[in-house]
């Protein structure tokens, strides 16, 4: 069965937003270190707080959409706010000369330039909260209730579009600001603003032509709490959940709790792993004379997702024909185990580092390949499950709860990254408790955490499958 054209409207709009977001993500830590003169540890912590705030705002965005705005208005308003925030980032970056003589600092005491930067964060967080949760929840509205298997495929396509944006962004950043001149960061932020504007304009032009449900009804116009079609399905007491719906919400909450660990570890790509690659990994591509910047690995992660995801989908479809395909619940457990394997490559490479010869890029490439496999098994499946299991009248709100989980993960990931041993010989403490004497010990943490979660998840998967057997 073919996917509706509305899926590609939503995917392309989200691609522009993710392109904009990944430009910021690619340079945020380096910008704070090189332009704002924050210490690496403080920059990593603040990066986690920033991305966490963006995801926390998803909960507010889901609530406002369900109660007052509807998906379409929320997406347009959110896009406008994000563009304003990114132009404000650019203004902050343009004031580089004012900060050029400020020594490195590690506290919440900010200059005028940094206050502008913090203000832009709040604007972008609010805009993203309105935008991302609502465009994600609209994917589910395109499909009928009996098209649940097609929905997994739809969210994988949706995430491929996200990763196309993530792929392009770091290469643009490398081209624009890769010359080592901190004053060029402002142009990266301007490009990010332009792309989100393009995405919003495209959405406005195409929404009325393609955003329809399976029965020809326009979607995303009426807030879910005021949609009579949803009210009629459940009777007058629209706020009361059935027993099956309560079971579904329980499973969603369990997924949220486990996902905190997965995404806290995964967030290291833009903090500790980025710093690790910048400091210790050879920038030379094997068998060539070409050098790359550390931001390359963020783009590589997106490129590998685009390449790997179709093969994984085809393989799973083949297993489906043999009645051997793992369930969506099982895929999540396998995703955790794959992440543990991925970080084991960084542990081994850190162990072999002799202090003089840079680590061969092949280790970082192997890490990225396996990590992407974990993401393919986890990220689209998790969002698809939340969408399937959410009571229809609360879909945007529960997807907002899901993104709130990602906020906690991002903040926790920033705290995790604060234990990164940037100075050889200096012992840091993970969560202020566990001594981290070297890089290998630091990376080993990200092997142990997902491995334990994966084993526990697989042990209890049958129980969760029974709670969702009426849907999955």
């Amino acid at each position: 069965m073919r996917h509706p054209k509305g899926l590609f409207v939503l995917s392309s709009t989200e691609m522009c937003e993710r392109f904009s977001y990944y430009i910021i993500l690619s340079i945020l830590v380096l910008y704070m270190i090189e332009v704002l003169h924050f210490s690496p540890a403080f920059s990593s912590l603040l990066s986690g707080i920033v991305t966490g705030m963006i995801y926390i705002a998803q909960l507010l965005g889901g609530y406002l959409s369900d109660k007052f705005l509807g998906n379409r208005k929320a997406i347009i308003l959110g896009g406008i706010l994000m563009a304003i925030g990114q132009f404000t980032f650019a203004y902050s970056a343009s004031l580089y000369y004012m900060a050029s003589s400020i020594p490195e600092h590690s506290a919440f005491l900010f200059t005028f330039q940094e206050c502008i930067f913090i203000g832009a964060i709040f604007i972008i967080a609010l805009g993203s909260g309105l935008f991302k949760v609502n465009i994600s929840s609209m994917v589910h509205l395109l499909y009928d209730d009996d098209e649940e298997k097609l929905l997994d495929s739809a969210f994988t396509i949706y995430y491929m579009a996200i990763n196309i944006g993530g792929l392009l962004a770091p290469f643009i950043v490398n081209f624009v600001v890769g010359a080592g001149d901190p004053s060029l960061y402002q142009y990266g932020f301007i490009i990010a603003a332009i792309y989100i504007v393009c995405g919003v304009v495209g959405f406005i032009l195409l929404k009325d032509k393609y955003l329809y449900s399976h029965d020809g009804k326009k979607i995303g116009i009426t807030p879910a709490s005021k949609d009579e079609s949803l009210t009629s399905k459940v009777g007058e007491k629209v706020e009361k959940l059935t027993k099956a719906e309560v079971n579904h919400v329980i499973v969603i909450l369990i997924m949220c709790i486990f996902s905190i660990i997965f995404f806290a570890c995964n967030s290291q790509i833009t903090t500790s792993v980025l710093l690790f690659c910048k400091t210790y990994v050879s920038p030379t591509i094997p068998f060539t004379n070409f050098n790359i910047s550390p931001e390359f690995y963020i783009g590589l992660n997106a490129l590998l997702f685009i390449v790997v995801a179709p093969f994984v989908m085809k393989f799973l479809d083949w297993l489906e024909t043999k009645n051997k395909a793992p369930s969506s619940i099982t895929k999540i457990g396998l995703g955790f185990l794959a992440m543990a394997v991925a970080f084991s490559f960084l542990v081994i490479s850190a162990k072999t580092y002799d202090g003089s010869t840079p680590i061969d890029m092949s280790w970082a490439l192997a890490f990225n390949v396996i990590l992407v496999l974990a993401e393919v098994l986890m990220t689209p499946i998790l969002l698809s499950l939340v969408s399937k299991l959410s009571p229809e009248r609360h879909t945007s709100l529960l997807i907002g709860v899901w993104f709130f989980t990602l906020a906690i993960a991002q903040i926790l990931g920033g705290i995790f990254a604060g234990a990164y041993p940037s100075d050889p010989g200096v012992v840091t403490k993970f969560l202020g408790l566990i001594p981290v004497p070297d890089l290998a010990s630091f990376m080993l943490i990200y092997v142990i955490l997902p491995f334990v979660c994966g084993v526990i998840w697989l042990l209890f998967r049958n129980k969760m499958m029974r709670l969702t057997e009426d849907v999955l």
Side-chain angles (χ1 to χ4, degrees), residues 385-407:
L385 281 174
V386 173
S387 183
K388 291 176 185 177
L389 296 174
S390 296
E392 285 189 325
R393 59 202 181 277
H394 299 304
T395 298
S396 291
L397 180 59
L398 282 170
I399 290 180
V401 171
W402 160 248
F403 282 117
F404 179 77
T405 297
L406 300 186

Side-chain angles (χ1 to χ4, degrees), residues 55-111:
Y55 284 114
I56 286 173
Q58 310 298 322
L59 186 60
L60 176 62
Y63 174 79
L64 291 176
S65 172
D66 279 349
K67 290 293 184 180
F68 306 107
L69 296 174
N71 297 100
R72 296 189 183 197
K73 289 180 181 178
I75 290 168
I76 294 170
L77 179 58
I80 293 171
L81 287 173
M82 281 191 289
I84 292 172
Q86 286 148 357
F87 279 121
T88 306
F89 263 151
Y91 173 64
S92 171
S94 72
L95 301 176
Y96 167 67
Y97 69 91
M98 295 178 63
S100 58
S101 62
I102 295 176
E104 181 182 284
H105 56 293
S106 306
F108 291 93
L109 299 172
F110 301 120
T111 65

